[in-house]
Amino acid sequence: MFPDETSRSSALYQEARRFMPGGNTRTTVFLKPYPIYAAKGEGCRVWDVDGIQRIDCINNFTAAIHGHAHPVLVREAMDQLRLGTAFGMPTQSEIELAKLLTERVASVEQLRFSNSGTEAVMNAIKAARAFTSRPVIAKCEGSYHGTYDFAEVSMDSTAANWGNGAPRSVPYSKGTPQGVLDDVVVIPFNDVDGAAEILRARGRDLAAILVDPMPNRAGLMLATPEYLSMLREVADEIGALLIFDEVISFRLGQSGAQGLWGVDADITCFGKIIGGGFPVGATGGRAEIMQVFDPTEGKPAVPQGGTFSANPMTMRCGRAAMEMLDEAAFAHLDNLGERARAGIDRAFRDTGIEGQTTGYASLLKIHFTAAPITSYRTAQPDAQAASRLARLNRELLNRGVLMASYGLMALSTPMTVDDIDDVVAAVAASLKSMTE
Ligand SMILES: Cc1ncc(COP(=O)(O)O)c(C=O)c1O
């Protein structure tokens, strides 16, 4: 049972605390009173260091779309390992992954790789600034785009600092310079008129509008088609670039969220699933914009390197992972996602606890509220909802299911309908225990 002070995880955590602040290297995986340490994964299951097996609905925060140790990816990785992991030279593998991605996403004519979604977003912002010769970006309140200073602004604004009206630029990390806050305009998600008004007012300064079409941390609700169309229209009108952060939403289909909505971005950020389990980021867009990175005539407008950028381990496994994500794989994932969301929503109704899921395709998020969730503000859990979510997480851990502590579940291709039914049954039993 979790927590268990006599467990190996607990002992490891005590040791970790000596060498890392809070025993931790990644805030997202921190758990009180101690995080559960993974020993191995296979398919959709993970075994912890105490030998306990669980169905993995975290999947490394959406990255592991094929689960763990997929035989095809293991073979690709082993083959490349024997040939060398990274060189001070390009490899053919980067061309192949770049080709595949540009073929899938119509708005992406060229792209460049990096090692994380954070870098993908940072490079997109830098490209937009260089291309437009403007300093300011706009982003949605509550949306997470990694840890570049500008992208972090207003990530976790709260009722205490958002006031009654339009969002403000509030720091996420303590010590964020005022200059950063001044160069980020925060807009409300899914509020067509409110956001358009703010964007038009700052139009002349804006290099880019950065948007995640299904922002996970902000509530995992879909952008409305009207909202995305407005962003496209206003960006064109004011001469700013539209950046889609598809680091997570590339899970929604072969051409990502933009394929589903039929709205083209000027620049798209990728990460997570395109690395086949290895660290990755990519920034792509119209060739005309991507020229800011072109070194053929000397120092480019935006120089970009990265010791491990486009390393062949990532590139090979990324390509293999993407090739396995064909129409049938997406249909399978969509089916699992629908089943999971419907089952969990049913469990809420059956137990009478107020709650619901948001999400689409292979992603879902659990909210302990019955009120409609349309924006970051409506998705913010109150104290009771937050404590119920923490309790659900603990109940699920003890029923063999891994869920991200903030309620996210990301499904994987090795999962079967039976696995989903097990997850739903675990949620239903957990909710029931919460009524007793
Ligand atoms: C939408 C989005 N953008 C960017 C990032 C940053 O990616 P990374 O953690 O690889 O830096 C994340 C990470 O969760 C994300 O969800």
Side-chain angles (χ1 to χ4, degrees), residues 115-119 121 144-146 212 216 245 247-248 272 280:
N115 299 301
S116 65
T118 291
E119 289 168 81
V121 170
Y144 181 68
H145 298 283
D212 177 343
N216 162 33
D245 179 349
V247 167
I248 287 188
K272 304 218 191 231
V280 75

Side-chain angles (χ1 to χ4, degrees), residues 317-334:
C317 292
R319 189 188 62 157
M322 294 311 295
E323 279 173 350
M324 286 193 284
L325 277 180
D326 54 13
E327 287 299 344
F330 275 111
H332 173 61
L333 287 167
D334 289 356

